[in-house]
Amino acid sequence: MVNVGIIGSGVVGSATGKGFKDLENNVSFFDIDANRIELLKKQGLQATKDLKFVAKSSEIFFICVPTPDKNRNIDLSIIKSAVIELSKECKDKRDYFLIVVKSTVIPITTENIIIPLIEKYSNKKAGSDFGVCFNPEFLRETNPYEDFMNPDRIVIGEYDKKSGDILEQLYSPFKCPIIRTNLRTAEMTKYANNCFYATKISFFNEIHLMCQKIGIDSNIIRKIVQMDKFYGIHPWEHGHSFGGKCLPKDLNAVIALFNEGHIHDPVLLKAVRKVNEDIEFLNRCQINEKASTPIYSESGSIVKQNNESTYIRSFCKTTMNSNINKT
Ligand SMILES: NC(=O)C1=CN([C@@H]2O[C@H](COP(=O)(O)OP(=O)(O)OC[C@H]3O[C@@H](n4cnc5c(N)ncnc54)[C@H](O)[C@@H]3O)[C@@H](O)[C@H]2O)C=CC1
Ligand SMILES: CC(=O)N[C@@H]1[C@@H](OP(=O)(O)OP(=O)(O)OC[C@H]2O[C@@H](n3ccc(=O)[nH]c3=O)[C@H](O)[C@@H]2O)O[C@H](C(=O)O)[C@@H](O)[C@@H]1O
């Protein structure tokens, strides 16, 4: 039995806390919204606006506060303030404690922002006085508790082995794979998961837009495509462009058909081709770097031969950036 504190008891915090409570842990919920607290109390749960009480009575904290969008970027102000307030209340803790970030944050937030804030406001030292994990949540709004209790996998990004061991122990009743990794990999995994989902939706919507104009039901296509055994699998290590006899030519053909026919500007498929060209170009640079042969710019002119790898890499980067700006 572990003493768990939930900081931010909304969709994720409530599901997380209820789940660990149902797994025989002692869970207290904290929130700044009195209505949220009342709702949880009515469900017979230990919920309070008293952060001092939660800080004192918990050994593992889950930070589940919002990280909303602000001008198409992440707003970290809420999580920063929540972490600061919790850290202040942890100043007097004598025993080791673990802080687990479940809120979705961009890579290296936990290392560069969260941990320094905890150390500053608690006067404690990461590693010796407290541990830190980033533990992305994959539940959906529609089934939060069921999704929390039945994850496909549990990802534990750990500051150090001790932090990861403690969190893995808490998750030991779960039967799914538990992946241990570093903090930034876990943070990025969450974004990759959601962005892949979003890409698939926009991909089939792009197919839909193209098909709609020529009388094809794209839902039939989706059903056939997802029968492919490779559908959900990414067959190889990243960093290699795709080639072969068919993928490049078929991509060009479908882009040309729908673009030139002014049926739909296939922006997503063009982006797929662009990424592939950039990867190809970067790899060519690196091969040239190794072979120290001249590099040819896209216009065909020889870029000044220079064996300085930093020069070659920065040339590739500049070229790629200028190309990206063109799209
Ligand atoms: N909703 C979802 O399906 C999922 C959300 N997430 C992520 O989890 C995080 C939380 O999202 P939700 O649970 O959906 O948000 P929510 O809005 O449902 O709940 C957040 C709770 O935090 C409380 N709160 C706000 N400021 C606070 C503070 N300073 N201290 C304590 N509590 C505070 C709010 O009153 C609210 O009750 C976000 O980063 C989100 O991206 C991750 C996976 C799934
Ligand atoms: C990759 C993935 O499945 N992400 C999940 C998603 O949860 P959420 O509840 O937002 O998922 P959802 O409601 O099924 O879909 C999100 C959006 O996508 C739309 N949607 C979904 C499926 C589909 O075929 N077409 C479509 O347009 C939905 O209408 C909705 O607007 O986002 C959650 C989150 O991070 O908030 C995340 O934890 C969940 O795992």
Side-chain angles (χ1 to χ4, degrees):
M1 196 275 289
V2 174
N3 295 312
V4 172
I6 301 293
I7 310 299
S9 305
V11 173
V12 170
S14 297
T16 302
K18 288 173 185 171
F20 284 127
K21 180 180 180 302
D22 292 351
L23 293 170
E24 309 304 322
N25 296 290
N26 174 37
V27 179
S28 48
F29 295 84
F30 170 76
D31 204 292
I32 58 171
D33 179 345
N35 297 327
R36 189 76 77 172
I37 294 299
E38 284 319 303
L39 187 68
L40 292 167
K41 279 181 170 172
K42 283 192 183 118
Q43 297 167 32
L45 299 164
Q46 186 172 260
T48 174
K49 283 188 74 176
D50 179 355
L51 184 56
K52 189 180 287 296
F53 167 78
V54 175
K56 198 159 177 291
S57 55
S58 308
E59 54 200 289
I60 298 182
F61 299 93
F62 284 89
I63 310 289
C64 308
V65 297
T67 49
D69 183 277
K70 185 176 176 188
N71 307 324
R72 289 191 151 182
N73 202 339
I74 190 169
D75 175 4
L76 292 171
S77 60
I78 297 175
I79 193 168
K80 283 181 190 170
S81 120
V83 166
I84 289 171
E85 293 313 308
L86 174 64
S87 303
K88 284 178 187 170
E89 298 300 344
C90 289
K91 254 189 200 151
D92 305 332
K93 286 182 82 67
R94 282 197 302 277
D95 299 332
Y96 178 95
F97 58 93
L98 176 66
I99 293 191
V100 182
V101 179
K102 241 189 194 304
S103 298
T104 302
V105 291
I106 47 172
I108 70 177
T109 298
T110 306
E111 292 160 76
N112 282 8
I113 296 176
I114 306 282
I115 292 173
L117 284 177
I118 302 169
E119 290 187 321
K120 179 178 176 187
Y121 289 94
S122 68
N123 287 335
K124 305 267 182 196
K125 189 83 189 82
S128 48
D129 300 318
F130 67 90
V132 180
C133 285
F134 180 78
N135 172 220
E137 182 49 57
F138 299 103
L139 63 79
R140 287 161 305 154
E141 290 266 351
T142 42
N143 287 309
Y145 178 78
E146 293 74 17
D147 284 358
F148 176 80
M149 294 302 276
N150 301 284
D152 302 332
R153 69 298 203 208
I154 292 166
V155 177
I156 296 177
E158 58 199 42
Y159 171 76
D160 57 11
K161 186 178 180 304
K162 181 175 180 180
S163 305
D165 287 348
I166 292 168
L167 188 56
E168 182 165 3
Q169 180 55 38
L170 183 66
Y171 275 112
S172 56
F174 290 78
K175 298 302 165 230
C176 67
I178 295 184
I179 297 102
R180 301 270 295 261
T181 184
N182 60 36
L183 293 167
R184 57 183 68 184
T185 301
E187 289 167 329
M188 190 60 203
T189 297
K190 175 65 192 169
Y191 286 95
N193 206 62
N194 271 355
C195 293
F196 182 52
Y197 192 56
T199 304
K200 284 191 285 184
I201 292 166
S202 284
F203 170 78
F204 277 107
N205 280 335
E206 183 148 274
I207 296 290
H208 168 70
L209 287 172
M210 298 191 282
C211 291
Q212 204 177 28
K213 297 286 175 71
I214 52 177
I216 298 172
D217 179 351
S218 58
N219 283 301
I220 296 173
I221 293 177
R222 173 177 57 81
K223 290 189 181 102
I224 297 168
V225 166
Q226 62 192 24
M227 291 173 178
D228 186 314
K229 60 180 174 302
F230 274 134
Y231 183 67
I233 297 163
H234 315 294
W236 53 43
E237 287 297 302
H238 298 156
H240 305 280
S241 56
F242 60 78
K245 229 167 64 183
C246 300
L247 263 57
K249 79 171 176 65
D250 293 352
L251 190 59
N252 289 336
V254 82
I255 289 170
L257 169 66
F258 290 101
N259 196 29
E260 280 143 27
H262 306 297
I263 293 174
H264 162 68
D265 178 8
V267 286
L268 184 59
L269 295 180
K270 282 180 180 174
V272 166
R273 183 166 61 186
K274 183 73 196 63
V275 168
N276 202 51
E277 287 164 356
D278 285 349
I279 291 280
E280 221 168 37
F281 186 73
L282 192 61
N283 289 340
R284 205 165 62 239
C285 291
Q286 285 159 352
I287 291 166
N288 289 334
E289 175 185 335
K290 288 200 181 76
S292 70
T293 54
I295 298 169
Y296 296 91
S297 70
E298 298 222 320
S299 57
S301 61
I302 289 187
V303 174
K304 179 173 163 297
Q305 169 134 357
N306 179 319
N307 289 331
E308 270 306 302
S309 57
T310 44
Y311 166 80
I312 290 170
R313 257 196 288 280
S314 64
F315 166 78
C316 293
K317 189 159 169 270
T318 317
T319 310
M320 274 168 54
N321 284 342
S322 65
N323 290 349
I324 287 167
N325 294 334
K326 273 187 218 153
T327 50

